[in-house]
Amino acid sequence: MEKKDAIRSTESLRRLKQSINYMNDILSGLLEASRIEMGVSTVKVNSLYINRFCRDIIEQHRKNIEEINLKFDFNTNLTDQHILKTDQRLLERILRNLLSNAIKYTKKGGIRFRIKQKKNVCKISIVDTGPGISKSIRKKIFKEFSQGPINNQYNGGRGVGLGLSIAQRLASRIGATITLKSQEAIGSIFSVLLPPAEVTSNLIISKDIESDLITEVLPQITLTETSSNIIFL
């Protein structure tokens, strides 16, 4: 009985921590969107190494992913020399929101963080094997206070219905678009469509951006057999 109580307490603490992190991301995004719309803050376009930038975001969420035993991998068709010109802080908030959602609602299977550039679009996608989203919900998912159906078998139940609407508002400020593909009982793909990244050999990263990037070597991401873990829609 004591062992079961300990396991139950550990799970409760994990979910509480996850909920706190999720709400922090939402509140930070809401504050940022409000500051921009009020003219207090402005969009600042920087040049950033897109692969390194995304790995940094992954590292911030790695512990949460490992705690719930989800498989995870990072896939990109860009080189580490590709740069993207955008507002770093806004893009980071958007991707953190999408990744937090995937972690929150995925109980089994895995998550893939994917960068794919084709023609004139750089697409950054979060692929998950969560419960999926019904067609009726997909039509209004980006509206404020829009929530998916309660499903107790997945982590956290309902959200507050603000995260995706905030992400969409921030995306519009940097000239990006968020798209969704989903199938119930299979999973979802949220993608951020941006202008293409370019290779610039003589790029000088600003000190502000450099200070925000991870300075130590990232742990190697163990790739898994995607055909059995991640379903691509």
Side-chain angles (χ1 to χ4, degrees):
M1 181 65 69
E2 291 182 359
K3 185 176 181 180
K4 289 183 178 180
D5 289 341
I7 293 174
R8 191 177 297 109
S9 296
T10 300
E11 177 65 14
S12 296
L13 288 173
R14 183 192 65 75
R15 290 191 179 187
L16 177 61
K17 179 182 176 182
Q18 188 180 70
S19 296
I20 291 173
N21 291 337
Y22 177 74
M23 289 304 301
N24 281 338
D25 282 345
I26 289 178
L27 292 174
S28 295
L30 180 60
L31 178 61
E32 191 68 61
S34 298
R35 285 168 58 85
I36 291 175
E37 290 169 357
M38 293 173 62
V40 177
S41 179
T42 59
V43 174
K44 299 178 181 178
V45 176
N46 307 115
S47 295
L48 55 91
Y49 289 109
I50 187 61
N51 281 353
R52 192 195 305 184
F53 171 75
C54 289
R55 289 190 185 106
D56 187 16
I57 295 174
I58 291 168
E59 201 60 26
Q60 295 171 23
H61 291 78
R62 179 180 294 279
K63 187 174 181 181
N64 291 335
I65 295 171
E66 291 176 346
E67 284 179 349
I68 52 180
N69 298 317
L70 290 177
K71 290 169 181 159
F72 183 86
D73 70 25
F74 172 67
N75 182 275
T76 177
N77 69 349
L78 300 181
T79 69
D80 287 346
Q81 283 71 49
H82 273 86
I83 64 165
L84 189 68
K85 294 182 179 180
T86 188
D87 187 304
Q88 176 181 352
R89 76 188 191 284
L90 296 188
L91 180 57
E92 179 177 350
R93 292 198 186 283
I94 293 167
L95 295 177
R96 281 172 58 90
N97 180 287
L98 297 180
L99 186 53
S100 293
N101 273 348
I103 296 170
K104 180 180 177 63
Y105 292 107
T106 304
K107 184 177 179 64
K108 59 183 179 180
I111 297 171
R112 164 167 284 184
F113 197 117
R114 181 177 68 197
I115 307 173
K116 186 176 182 180
Q117 182 156 300
K118 186 177 181 181
K119 295 183 179 180
N120 296 321
V121 176
C122 179
K123 181 187 291 187
I124 304 177
S125 303
I126 309 296
V127 184
D128 70 61
T129 56
I133 303 168
S134 68
K135 187 175 181 179
S136 61
I137 297 298
R138 291 200 299 270
K139 292 179 179 179
K140 57 182 180 180
I141 194 88
F142 292 106
K143 295 181 180 179
E144 290 187 355
F145 305 110
S146 176
Q147 300 172 315
I150 294 176
N151 191 331
N152 291 329
Q153 67 171 313
Y154 289 93
N155 300 325
R158 281 187 173 184
V160 295
L162 280 173
L164 291 175
S165 67
I166 293 171
Q168 190 73 288
R169 285 165 63 185
L170 294 178
S172 68
R173 295 295 174 174
I174 60 175
T177 303
I178 301 177
T179 64
L180 166 64
K181 291 183 179 180
S182 186
Q183 186 171 336
E184 289 184 272
I186 292 181
S188 303
I189 303 176
F190 283 91
S191 299
V192 182
L193 278 56
L194 296 149
E198 301 175 351
V199 176
T200 304
S201 57
N202 297 322
L203 177 70
I204 299 177
I205 297 291
S206 71
K207 291 182 179 180
D208 289 338
I209 297 176
E210 188 66 34
S211 65
D212 291 333
L213 297 174
I214 293 178
T215 57
E216 57 187 51
V217 178
L218 292 173
Q220 181 178 353
I221 297 177
T222 302
L223 297 180
T224 57
E225 178 56 45
T226 56
S227 61
S228 61
N229 299 325
I230 305 290
I231 299 176
F232 295 95
L233 305 177

